[in-house]
Amino acid sequence: KQWYQRRVRVPIVCDVEYDQLVSESRCPPLVVVSVFSSRHPEATPYDPMIEEIYYGMNYSRSQPCAQCVQDKYRLLRYDISTNVLLRNRHNAIPGMFFIYYQGSL
């Protein structure tokens, strides 16, 4: 039987869960949200770097979201082409980062 490591992807948040995830995140207190567009992936050339950072953080974890309480920060992705909350609230465009500390931008 061949062993392999499954690739863990950065969670993508939508408008419905965005405020709750950002405001109620106390462990870890720092939340980094990367804004991207699924329609225009060339607008965010750093996406592979974000995926590698997240993969390195969660390499040997069986439940990355549940086991992130000891991490210094939490990485999330937000698809601007299917969600409008950040576009309306902060005039967000692909390539932007939003960094929250204990629920505050």
Side-chain angles (χ1 to χ4, degrees), residues 83-104:
N83 299 292
V84 296
L85 179 72
L86 289 183
R87 187 180 318 140
N88 293 341
R89 188 181 290 175
H90 300 294
N91 201 22
I93 58 171
M96 292 179 80
F97 285 90
F98 291 92
I99 302 174
Y100 294 87
Y101 180 73
Q102 295 181 344
S104 297

Side-chain angles (χ1 to χ4, degrees), residues 21-70:
L21 276 172
V22 169
S23 65
E24 294 181 4
S25 180
R26 298 292 182 242
C27 295
L30 196 64
V31 178
V32 179
V33 180
S34 167
V35 179
F36 76 102
S37 173
S38 58
R39 291 186 187 147
H40 303 286
E42 70 280 354
T44 51
Y46 57 79
D47 273 347
M49 178 189 67
I50 298 294
E51 292 288 339
E52 285 300 314
I53 291 171
Y54 189 78
Y55 179 71
M57 290 170 55
N58 297 294
Y59 179 71
S60 61
R61 294 179 177 170
S62 58
Q63 298 174 334
C65 289
Q67 295 172 321
C68 76
V69 293
Q70 298 298 322

Side-chain angles (χ1 to χ4, degrees), residues 13-21 78 83-85:
V13 295
C14 63
D15 288 346
V16 176
E17 61 193 2
Y18 186 83
D19 286 329
Q20 182 181 6
L21 276 172
Y78 181 88
N83 299 292
V84 296
L85 179 72

